[in-house]
């Protein structure tokens, strides 16, 4: 990997997401050699992926080069590769570009879509966990309308304009709201010769309320916002299968749709060598102690979505969200310095800053630890918080300008089929 030996201990961080970046920022100025490895050369701001999928933002404005975040630190090295295996006996990683030894290892690999073993949904459905996947979805949505324009078969046309989003968490809710706004504001102008009123957006949730991790008031308000936008919200229904056209559920309800978006679950992105059953909790997360150490290892740590720290307040681990990942990265940064300096470690305590979701223009729900509010003010708070946490000044400016433009013009100009998506044909 061409990384020089150093008199400082080597800390390897796998993953330049929210956790990995906040840890690397903390460590770079200290007396350690920091090696950050990621399979992408950019950090992805996942909370805004749905805006890429729906043409609201260009992908470049929610991605940021990892090298740029941490440039100028002499002890920092970035390598673009995928870690394939961890050899915990030899304290070594195997990657696509060679092997590398570590003194301390931090797993910050995040999570991936969980299809719960359903191969049909995995192959024929759409996930939205990365920028390439969001671009695929953007292309598919637009290609569907182009196709709907060409067919005489009403049944086929309806299936092309029928969107099924599985999972009523923030991702599903935000995507459904954005699609509903496209239907209302953009489709009639772009496709005057197509009856776009027939387009349907279905949001399917397995439990009795959407946004189940938020307050009841946030759930019911979000549902009302969605229904106001014309989204069909289906609760207590689970999607069981999909053949590329027909969506089967555990009830008598079914859907004919060319687009199924799966936003119904994630699982930890584990790496071979650290995936023994006894190390893993529900969802494949690595069990860690209050100092982020993976059970049984003093020199291996895990943070963010991939880690499960069970505490009294969070018996099933912290929520798989950006804030816990960032706070864990910061705490581990301090602790690694303490280890090097032979000082006692600081246990992690999560400061819950609340959660939020947006449904569309002027519509969002915010749950803060002490206040809950919904509507226009919540929407401004949502925008401010997302701009604040977005990495890179240019990205903030571009996103802000886009939002102002889209707001004034009721538009989403990134509706471009740059890289056509070839959907596997239903059997
Ligand atoms: C669509 C969507 C919307 C979301 N909205 C919100 C929201 O509104 N608010 C919120 O708080 N959270 C939201 N989240 C969740 C939030 O993005 C995650 O909780 C957060 O990204 C977790 O941070 P992390 O550092 O653990 O992992 P990530 O940010 O996912 O980073 C993991 C990194 O590891 C890299 N990697 C993985 N495996 C390997 C490997 N083997 N080798 C090399 N590199 C590897 C990946 O390329 C990636 O860069 C959303 C997530 C999604 C998908």
């Amino acid at each position: 990997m061409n990384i020089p030996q150093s008199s400082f201990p080597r800390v390897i961080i796998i993953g330049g997401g929210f956790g990995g970046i906040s840890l690397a920022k903390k460590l770079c100025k200290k007396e350690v050699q920091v090696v950050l490895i990621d399979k992408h050369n950019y950090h992805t701001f996942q909370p805004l992926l749905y805006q890429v999928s729906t043409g609201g933002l260009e992908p470049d404005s929610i991605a940021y080069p990892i090298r740029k975040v941490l440039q100028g630190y002499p002890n920092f090295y970035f390598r673009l590769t995928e870690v394939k295996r961890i050899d915990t006996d030899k304290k070594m990683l195997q990657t696509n570009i060679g092997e590398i030894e570590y003194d301390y290892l931090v797993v910050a690999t995040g999570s991936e879509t969980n299809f719960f073993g359903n191969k049909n949904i995995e192959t024929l459905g759409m996930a939205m966990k990365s920028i390439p996947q969001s671009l695929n979805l953007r292309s598919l949505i637009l290609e569907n309308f182009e196709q709907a324009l060409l067919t005489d078969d009403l049944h086929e046309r309806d299936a092309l304009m029928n969107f099924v989003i599985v999972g009523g968490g923030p991702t599903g809710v935000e995507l459904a709201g954005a699609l509903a706004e496209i239907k209302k504001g953009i489709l009639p102008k772009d496709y005057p010769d197509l009856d776009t009123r027939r387009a349907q957006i279905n949001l399917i949730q397995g439990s009795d309320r959407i946004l189940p991790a938020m307050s009841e008031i946030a759930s019911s308000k979000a549902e009302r916002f969605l229904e106001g936008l014309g989204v069909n919200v289906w609760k207590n229904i689970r999607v069981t299968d999909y053949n590329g056209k027909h969506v089967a559920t555990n009830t008598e309800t079914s859907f004919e749709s060319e687009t199924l978006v799966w936003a119904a679950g994630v699982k930890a992105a584990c790496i071979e060598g650290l995936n023994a059953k006894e190390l893993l909790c529900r969802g494949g997360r690595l069990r860690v102690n209050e100092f982020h150490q993976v059970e049984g290892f003093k020199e291996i740590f895990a943070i963010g979505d991939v880690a499960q720290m069970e505490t009294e307040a969070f018996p099933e681990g912290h929520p798989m969200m950006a804030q816990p990942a960032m706070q864990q990265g910061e705490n581990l940064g301090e602790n690694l310095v303490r280890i090097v300096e032979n000082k006692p470690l600081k246990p992690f305590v999560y400061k819950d800053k609340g959660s939020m979701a947006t449904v569309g223009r002027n519509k969002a729900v915010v749950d803060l630890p002490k206040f809950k509010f919904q509507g226009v003010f919540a929407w401004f708070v949502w925008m401010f918080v997302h701009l604040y946490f977005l990495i890179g000044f240019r990205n903030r400016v571009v996103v802000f300008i886009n939002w102002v433009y889209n707001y004034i013009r009721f538009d989403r100009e990134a509706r471009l089929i740059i890289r056509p998506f070839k959907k596997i044909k239903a059997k």
Side-chain angles (χ1 to χ4, degrees):
M1 282 217 195
N2 212 11
I3 292 175
Q5 290 299 331
S6 152
S7 54
F8 297 151
R10 177 182 287 164
V11 180
I12 300 189
I13 305 167
I14 315 174
F18 286 100
I21 292 279
S22 82
L23 168 63
K25 276 185 177 168
K26 199 94 194 171
L27 278 184
C28 271
K29 298 163 222 143
K30 307 291 179 184
E31 297 196 332
V32 287
Q33 183 187 60
V34 183
V35 179
L36 177 57
I37 299 178
D38 201 298
K39 57 187 173 187
H40 300 120
N41 78 336
Y42 55 85
H43 164 85
T44 304
F45 192 79
Q46 294 178 19
L48 292 179
L49 280 174
Y50 82 97
Q51 297 217 358
V52 171
S53 302
T54 51
L57 290 174
E58 289 288 353
D60 316 37
S61 53
I62 67 157
Y64 200 78
I66 293 175
R67 286 186 182 282
K68 173 122 197 240
V69 184
L70 294 146
Q71 65 188 196
Y73 296 103
N75 297 333
F76 173 75
Y77 297 85
F78 174 72
R79 290 296 179 265
L80 172 64
T81 185
E82 181 167 0
V83 176
K84 291 291 186 191
R85 196 170 178 281
I86 302 168
D87 187 332
T88 53
D89 293 332
K90 292 188 185 154
K91 293 172 120 190
M92 182 186 278
L93 305 184
Q94 289 166 7
T95 77
N96 289 337
I97 54 168
E99 296 179 338
I100 182 166
E101 289 175 354
Y102 59 82
D103 295 304
Y104 300 100
L105 174 67
V106 182
V107 184
T109 46
S111 54
E112 53 197 30
T113 306
N114 191 353
F115 296 94
F116 301 99
N118 191 318
K119 288 282 166 211
N120 286 344
I121 295 179
E122 185 171 349
T123 324
L124 300 163
M126 305 296 287
M128 203 182 60
K129 201 69 183 95
S130 66
I131 287 181
Q133 287 175 343
S134 295
L135 286 175
N136 286 345
L137 182 55
R138 181 176 88 178
S139 293
L140 180 67
I141 292 168
L142 297 168
E143 283 164 26
N144 279 354
F145 285 108
E146 296 300 329
Q147 199 58 37
L149 204 54
L150 302 179
T151 180
D152 295 331
D153 181 337
L154 194 59
H155 189 72
E156 190 190 344
R157 191 183 298 161
D158 282 348
L160 284 161
M161 298 200 295
N162 193 8
F163 297 91
V164 173
I165 301 160
V166 192
T171 302
V173 166
E174 292 178 348
L175 183 63
L179 280 173
E181 287 192 335
I182 290 179
K183 175 183 168 182
K184 198 171 147 212
I186 291 171
L187 293 184
K189 287 187 258 164
D190 270 8
Y191 301 92
D193 41 350
L194 183 68
D195 185 2
T196 53
R197 287 168 307 175
R198 292 183 74 92
Q200 295 290 320
I201 295 120
N202 297 289
L203 178 65
I204 303 184
Q205 167 67 350
S207 65
D208 60 359
R209 66 180 175 107
I210 58 169
L211 299 178
M214 294 187 73
S215 62
E216 300 239 356
I217 172 101
S219 298
S220 63
K221 203 71 194 221
E223 188 175 336
R224 255 188 288 153
F225 284 150
L226 284 171
E227 283 170 352
L229 285 168
V231 173
N232 309 316
V233 180
W234 304 83
K235 292 180 289 184
N236 296 312
I237 291 189
R238 272 183 296 111
V239 168
T240 52
D241 211 353
Y242 180 53
N243 68 1
K245 268 192 190 302
H246 182 82
V247 183
T249 73
N250 63 335
T251 68
E252 280 178 1
T253 308
S254 64
F255 306 84
E256 297 303 310
S257 171
E258 288 281 347
T259 316
L260 176 135
V261 183
W262 187 257
V266 288
K267 61 180 178 190
C270 268
I271 300 180
E272 203 191 312
L274 213 53
N275 57 350
K277 254 192 178 157
E278 57 275 13
L279 298 178
L280 306 181
C281 311
R282 228 175 109 226
R285 294 173 96 182
L286 285 164
R287 184 174 289 110
V288 297
N289 64 17
E290 70 265 49
F291 309 117
H292 317 280
Q293 282 158 320
V294 174
E295 211 169 72
F297 298 94
K298 277 206 150 46
E299 72 291 357
I300 304 182
F301 306 81
I303 54 172
D305 281 6
V306 78
Q308 175 140 328
M309 185 189 291
E310 290 163 7
T311 64
E312 216 176 300
F314 296 93
E316 293 191 16
H318 299 103
M320 290 163 101
M321 285 168 48
Q323 267 300 322
M326 289 192 284
Q327 291 181 26
Q328 288 171 10
E330 281 179 25
N331 192 63
L332 178 55
E334 280 181 37
N335 274 345
L336 281 165
V337 174
R338 282 166 181 267
I339 289 175
V340 174
E341 292 172 352
N342 259 324
K343 290 184 181 159
L345 300 185
K346 225 176 90 183
F348 175 70
V349 182
Y350 176 50
K351 291 177 204 74
D352 186 359
K353 295 185 177 166
S355 52
M356 54 186 71
T358 180
V359 180
R361 69 168 37 222
N362 299 333
K363 296 178 190 69
V365 291
V366 174
D367 282 355
L368 297 183
K370 291 200 176 135
F371 303 101
K372 295 177 185 21
F373 47 96
Q374 306 86 31
V376 183
F377 181 61
W379 187 65
F380 277 104
V381 170
W382 178 92
M383 283 197 292
F384 173 78
V385 168
H386 282 71
L387 280 177
Y388 181 81
F389 283 108
L390 200 61
I391 297 185
F393 178 72
R394 175 193 162 277
N395 282 1
R396 287 192 194 126
V397 172
V398 171
V399 169
F400 179 70
I401 291 173
N402 262 283
W403 283 350
V404 172
Y405 181 87
N406 294 349
Y407 188 79
I408 296 170
R409 307 267 309 166
F410 285 82
D411 211 343
R412 286 166 182 264
E413 286 193 359
R415 45 186 194 280
L416 312 166
I417 307 171
I418 289 189
R419 195 187 58 178
F421 177 70
K422 293 209 170 16
K423 191 179 166 215
I424 299 171
K425 283 281 161 226
K427 283 182 193 150

